[in-house]
Amino acid sequence: MRASERSAGGIRRLPGATRTGLRRLSRRWRIVLSAALVLFLAFVVATGELLVWPAQGMPGHVSAIVMLAGPGDRLPVALDLADSRRAPVLVVSQGYEGYSGPCPPRPSGVTLICFDPNPPTTQGEAEYVGRLARQYHWTSVVVVASRPQATRARLLVQRCFAGQVYLATAPIAPDAWPYQLAYGWGALLKALVWSRTC
């Protein structure tokens, strides 16, 4: 071993070129890890804002309450809004994972419309809501959905309806969250990238 590679204590020193290469490699890894951490945090924040805690709320009165199909305990939320006279019309989707069987009992003083969307998706529901809104001259609706579906539902309904779209969310089972978050991201990206029209 050359003397220049050995320190006073007998420990081998790396040549200068090797030390510089390791510093460069270490710097690159720090940049890569920092970028990965920033992307991960951005994904977590976006998931929180879009799928876990979407913006919701509504004024005292809207033209219609629209309950979409899907997981979660949506019907009590929709019926509570109807019983509180927040709208004169309650629209209930009986699509995939929707309210099955006959229409629920009609709240007093509220017009009840049950429908099977075609296609049986959130897109099909949005298209039907758009047709109803034009027919009855609605100016605003509140959409009842689960939180992972809510942002996508608002986006799709807004494409088919020129009025104001508000959200009210219904709870889902804790064990349903992992699947619903994964599905929610996939469906939201599809709505943003591929299905861009009503």
Side-chain angles (χ1 to χ4, degrees), residues 31-196:
I31 291 169
V32 167
L33 289 175
S34 296
L37 179 61
V38 168
L39 289 173
F40 175 75
L41 291 175
F43 175 76
V44 169
V45 170
T47 299
E49 289 196 10
L50 297 174
L51 303 178
V52 180
W53 300 287
Q56 58 181 316
M58 62 178 290
H61 193 268
V62 293
S63 300
I65 301 158
V66 178
M67 187 191 89
L68 302 184
D73 209 4
R74 301 163 186 235
L75 189 59
V77 174
L79 290 175
D80 184 54
L81 290 170
D83 288 337
S84 301
R85 303 287 190 271
R86 303 295 291 273
V89 180
L90 171 60
V91 181
V92 176
S93 173
Q94 295 181 288
Y96 179 70
E97 279 196 64
Y99 180 79
S100 58
C103 273
R106 182 177 65 84
S108 175
V110 174
T111 300
L112 178 64
I113 301 171
C114 291
F115 73 102
D116 288 305
N118 183 21
T121 61
T122 307
Q123 178 68 41
E125 292 170 328
E127 292 170 5
Y128 187 80
V129 170
R131 290 193 296 272
L132 285 177
R134 286 188 295 275
Q135 180 179 350
Y136 295 109
H137 309 289
W138 293 343
T139 58
S140 58
V141 297
V142 59
V143 175
V144 179
S146 65
R147 285 188 281 167
Q149 182 192 23
T151 298
R152 173 171 44 99
R154 183 194 337 245
L155 173 70
L156 295 174
V157 172
Q158 284 174 333
R159 288 177 180 167
C160 299
F161 170 56
Q164 292 293 317
V165 179
Y166 303 98
L167 292 176
T169 59
I172 61 174
D175 62 348
W177 273 102
Y179 173 79
Q180 289 302 319
L181 288 177
Y183 180 84
W185 264 120
L188 181 58
L189 290 174
K190 178 183 175 185
L192 290 170
V193 176
W194 289 285
S195 305
R196 298 178 58 86

Side-chain angles (χ1 to χ4, degrees), residues 12-32:
R12 181 177 178 183
R13 287 185 178 173
L14 295 173
T18 305
R19 286 196 304 269
T20 302
L22 285 176
R23 277 197 298 269
R24 264 194 222 127
L25 184 61
S26 177
R27 189 177 308 127
R28 284 186 190 135
W29 273 110
R30 283 198 301 270
I31 291 169
V32 167

